[in-house]
Amino acid sequence: MELGVADFVSGRGSGSAPLFPEAIPAKHRTQVLDPKQENPAPSDKLGDVLDHAIRGCIKRQLGDAVDGLSVHSFHHYVNESFLEMRGDDGVTLLVPDMDRRDVLGHKPIDVNIRTYRHHERPLGPLHTAISRLPRLF
């Protein structure tokens, strides 16, 4: 909302064209935009789907200084940020290890949690953890 996405969407009118065609990798864009062609099979990895769009955003926002960064680079950023967020005592982690692992999609290392924990994750603690991350742009 802050960036004006609602105005952008309402100004486009109706239709079935993709909202952000530039987010479609160039090698698939023509095929996706042509209603007579079948869409390519989607990737089963979320990172693969987002990588093209995010690389473009990073490049536009931060320029050539970020060559070589990818979606996986955010993994490192999030992990390191959570590990460095400490309480006033300098020892207590502000983001518990379980929440850090859940946000990153990592498996728990504790056999009890790995064996007995439900697959559903509470979203409140994850939202709190993600909200603590410094905004990059």
Side-chain angles (χ1 to χ4, degrees):
M1 301 311 284
E2 172 184 332
L3 298 175
V5 174
D7 295 334
F8 174 74
V9 172
S10 65
R12 289 181 41 96
S14 62
S16 60
L19 192 57
F20 302 105
E22 297 82 15
I24 301 168
K27 65 182 180 181
H28 298 297
R29 193 173 304 139
T30 303
Q31 185 177 356
V32 170
L33 295 177
D34 185 348
K36 296 176 186 168
Q37 292 191 38
E38 187 173 323
N39 283 338
S43 172
D44 61 346
K45 290 185 172 183
L46 181 61
D48 289 348
V49 174
L50 295 176
D51 189 64
H52 170 76
I54 290 178
R55 279 180 194 258
C57 290
I58 291 171
K59 183 82 167 175
R60 281 189 298 279
Q61 189 70 30
L62 304 175
D64 292 335
V66 295
D67 283 343
L69 293 181
S70 66
V71 171
H72 190 73
S73 301
F74 283 110
H75 235 83
H76 291 272
Y77 161 74
V78 169
N79 190 59
E80 288 298 316
S81 294
F82 285 163
L83 288 172
E84 292 173 4
M85 290 179 192
R86 306 288 175 130
D88 292 336
D89 62 5
V91 176
T92 306
L93 291 171
L94 293 180
V95 176
D97 185 64
M98 185 172 11
D99 295 343
R100 180 179 60 85
R101 290 179 169 280
D102 284 349
V103 167
L104 294 169
H106 293 166
K107 294 180 179 170
I109 56 175
D110 180 290
V111 68
N112 180 279
I113 294 172
R114 189 171 52 243
T115 304
Y116 298 108
R117 186 174 184 217
H118 295 289
H119 291 288
E120 300 82 25
R121 305 292 190 262
L123 296 180
L126 304 185
H127 179 265
T128 299
I130 291 168
S131 296
R132 290 181 180 271
L133 290 168
R135 190 168 177 170
L136 291 175
F137 43 84

